Amino acid sequence: MPQLTRSPAWQALAAHRGALASATIRDLFAHDVDRARRFCVEAAGLCFDYSKHRLTDETLRLLVALAEQADVGGWTRRMFAGEAINSSEGRAVLHVALRAGAGPFPAGGDVMPEVSGTLARMRAFADAVRSGDWRGATGELISDVVNIGIGGSDLGPRMVTRALRAYCAPRPRLHFVSNADPADLAAVLAALDPAHTLFIVTSKTFTTAETLSNAERARAWNRDALGERAAARHFVAVSANVPAATAFGISADAVFPMWDWVGGRYSLWSAVGLPIVLAVGFERFAEFLAGARAMDEHFREAPAHRNIPILMGLLGVWYTNFWGAQSHCVLPYAEDLRDLPAYLQQLEMESNGKRIDRDGNPVDYATAPVIWGAAGTNSQHSFHQLLHQGTLLVPSDFVLFRRGAEPAAAHAMLTANGLAQSAALMAGKDDPAAPHRALPGNQPSSTFLLPALDPRALGALIAAYEHKVFAQGVVWNINSFDQWGVEHGKVLARNLLPRILQGGEAHELDASTRALLARLRAG
């Protein structure tokens, strides 16, 4: 039986939650003139303001005690030491090694030669494509690169490439295809020329159904235009299964490695990030890694009460488990960072969407909330109405920038809107004469202030969210690094596919699915 909810630290927080029930964030500011300064941490180039939350110094003390009870510090040391903390799969969790910069890492099983060797290969390949030394089968320059993947093989590089659009070279242009619906690939290929197009097929096992179906269609498109042997100049792979990639027609020299000690949703720092290197160049990618490395160092060294990722994680636990919040909103005030909420959906919900703890017991507490959001200011004309006047408690993250690529006046407008929204969510608005105009306020939010949307700051921000998820998983005593629910869905789909294509009985399926299959066959 899980012991978490009966532990002293948990029980103390539950009692404290009752004491804060009638307090408002506005009141907390009124009674603490220094609150904005004290509830703010700067590290790795980021400023993290968490003053607009339903917490006091006592709340923070009790949350830190919960982290200490769970031994977040010890689990952090185990992760960085390369221990197999992914217990259900018996694997180390070493995405941090991908941006470590120097070895040995970890002690006793140094993976840094593999990491540095792969980075060197990525750099050489990207330089060749960008300079024109790598050309297509007919000798034409590569003008467009299509990344074919799904999940972590798509969301990370897609999000980062879009976010760093201001740093992208005119050539090659990057495109991303993930959906098994052929319309996704067809829409991209419609504007491309086979002689100028390079494909990156990213799949750790080289058996991912959605990725391989898209890769086969891309291969046919290339073959019809350029012939059977053209694939060697127009396809590269990121995979652990070299034989399968070479059987597809990709040269072994053009297969970049993936390792079982890096989970897909943590893999954009690896060769999965090859599209990023092609788009912005290796020097910018190195800055991206350096920003993440700075956050790694902060996470390892800073005490819990001044540790950005641990604070992020503990705030999530506070609202999910003690205030009943079921979702968390992410609001980047930059159009180029519009894919961040979708990226964080996978990172957080696939990692911590668990109901069994590390000891094999069903949990009796909530784990990951639903992650959602959109870019400001678009979101203000969409769902902010619910945040301001709805009935749900929704903690939010605002991501703002000191300077932007857009003109000063436009960037000032973005910043003003972001600051105004967080202030209004906290303070609300009284209007006794017109209740429909009143805003209750007291909606909690954190604000990230980044120097700019540049590679270093983006790397630090993503690493902060990664470590937040890890810290929460430790507190909840769950394994944040497996995803058996995803795997089961894949198995069911493989079993259903022949029934849809060929017919036949399906007695082992539930009645609803059998009925739907019958309706499909009936046309």
Side-chain angles (χ1 to χ4, degrees):
M1 178 178 293
Q3 299 300 312
L4 179 58
T5 55
R6 284 165 288 282
S7 67
W10 190 280
Q11 291 294 318
L13 277 163
H16 177 68
R17 156 66 174 86
L20 275 183
S22 61
T24 68
I25 306 171
R26 186 164 50 181
D27 291 338
L28 297 175
F29 271 98
H31 291 98
D32 184 357
V33 296
D34 204 27
R35 181 179 178 86
R37 181 192 65 81
R38 293 190 306 104
F39 290 95
C40 185
V41 180
E42 294 195 37
L46 309 186
C47 174
F48 176 65
D49 182 305
Y50 65 104
S51 60
K52 295 188 183 76
H53 279 283
R54 301 181 185 183
L55 84 164
T56 64
D57 290 309
E58 177 66 2
T59 317
L60 183 58
R61 185 187 70 79
L62 293 172
L63 286 170
V64 168
L66 182 66
E68 291 171 346
Q69 174 184 278
D71 194 22
V72 171
W75 280 96
T76 301
R77 289 188 292 273
R78 292 178 64 188
M79 178 174 71
F80 278 85
E83 293 186 30
I85 63 170
N86 178 353
S87 53
S88 71
E89 297 178 294
R91 294 175 178 173
V93 176
L94 282 175
H95 50 282
V96 291
L98 299 173
R99 62 253 187 162
F105 193 106
D110 191 8
V111 300
M112 290 311 297
E114 293 178 89
V115 172
S116 58
T118 299
L119 287 171
R121 287 184 59 200
M122 291 166 64
R123 179 174 196 161
F125 179 74
D127 286 350
V129 172
R130 287 160 62 91
S131 69
D133 290 342
W134 178 289
R135 296 186 177 232
T138 60
E140 302 292 341
L141 289 171
I142 298 298
S143 62
D144 294 88
V145 175
V146 181
N147 186 78
I148 299 176
I150 198 166
S153 299
D154 169 77
L155 287 166
R158 181 194 293 262
M159 181 270 291
V160 173
T161 300
R162 172 77 188 194
L164 299 181
R165 186 170 57 164
Y167 298 88
C168 291
R171 185 189 63 78
R173 296 182 294 267
L174 269 293
H175 312 270
F176 293 87
V177 171
S178 60
N179 201 313
D181 184 343
D184 191 11
L185 179 65
V188 171
L189 297 185
L192 304 183
D193 180 342
H196 294 271
T197 302
L198 175 75
F199 295 92
I200 304 172
V201 182
T202 304
S203 170
K204 181 180 287 188
T205 63
F206 220 82
T207 60
T208 309
E210 299 92 337
T211 299
L212 287 190
S213 64
N214 277 322
E216 292 288 355
R217 283 190 283 270
R219 178 81 171 85
W221 179 78
N222 176 270
R223 181 175 56 243
D224 290 347
L226 303 176
E228 184 68 39
R229 303 177 66 180
R233 301 301 298 176
H234 292 271
F235 284 82
V236 300
V238 180
S239 180
N241 191 346
V242 177
T246 56
F248 180 86
I250 298 172
S251 168
D253 293 338
V255 181
F256 295 83
M258 296 178 75
W259 304 289
D260 64 8
W261 38 267
V262 177
R265 56 194 175 276
Y266 298 90
S267 64
L268 59 82
W269 321 96
S270 71
V272 171
L274 185 59
I276 305 170
V277 184
L278 285 162
V280 304
F282 189 83
E283 290 76 13
R284 298 295 190 189
F285 188 70
E287 294 172 11
F288 178 62
L289 298 179
R293 183 164 62 250
M295 183 55 68
D296 292 342
E297 293 168 357
H298 167 71
F299 178 58
R300 291 181 73 173
E301 298 170 4
H305 70 286
R306 300 295 293 171
N307 190 304
I308 291 175
I310 292 178
L311 290 169
M312 293 168 69
L314 290 174
L315 286 167
V317 171
W318 179 229
Y319 291 113
T320 300
N321 298 116
F322 298 94
W323 292 88
Q326 295 184 323
S327 76
H328 185 100
C329 189
V330 180
L331 300 162
Y333 272 71
E335 174 64 16
D336 285 348
L337 204 53
R338 69 184 186 188
D339 292 333
L340 179 64
Y343 171 77
L344 294 178
Q345 282 175 347
Q346 186 198 24
L347 176 64
E348 299 208 23
M349 293 196 286
E350 192 167 282
S351 294
N352 287 344
K354 309 290 171 59
R355 61 189 307 115
I356 300 295
D357 69 14
R358 287 183 177 274
D359 304 312
N361 300 309
V363 301
D364 58 355
Y365 46 87
T367 57
V370 173
I371 305 297
W372 61 294
T377 56
N378 289 1
S379 57
Q380 295 173 199
H381 295 266
S382 175
F383 52 77
H384 281 225
Q385 170 62 33
L386 180 146
L387 300 179
H388 287 296
Q389 290 188 307
T391 59
L392 301 176
L393 173 65
V394 184
S396 300
D397 288 351
F398 287 83
V399 183
L400 306 177
F401 304 88
R402 288 191 174 94
R403 60 183 186 276
E406 63 280 346
H411 182 70
M413 184 177 74
L414 273 176
T415 305
N417 273 273
L419 292 175
Q421 289 294 308
S422 67
L425 287 172
M426 183 270 290
K429 174 188 172 186
D430 295 326
D431 197 335
H436 60 281
R437 293 180 180 272
L439 282 67
N442 213 31
Q443 285 277 33
S445 69
S446 302
T447 299
F448 279 100
L449 186 58
L450 280 61
L453 185 47
D454 60 29
R456 186 177 294 269
L458 182 61
L461 180 69
I462 296 171
Y465 275 104
E466 288 180 344
H467 294 316
K468 166 203 170 179
V469 170
F470 169 72
Q472 283 183 326
V474 172
V475 170
W476 285 325
N477 192 34
I478 57 177
N479 182 1
S480 300
F481 301 103
D482 60 10
Q483 55 280 328
W484 296 104
V486 175
E487 298 303 322
H488 181 61
K490 293 178 182 178
V491 171
L492 290 180
R494 284 197 297 269
N495 292 339
L496 274 169
L497 183 59
R499 304 292 174 80
I500 294 171
L501 292 175
Q502 302 160 14
E505 296 299 325
H507 297 297
E508 77 282 6
L509 298 175
D510 63 89
S512 172
T513 305
R514 290 199 305 271
L516 289 168
L517 278 172
R519 293 177 191 278
L520 282 167
R521 292 166 185 163

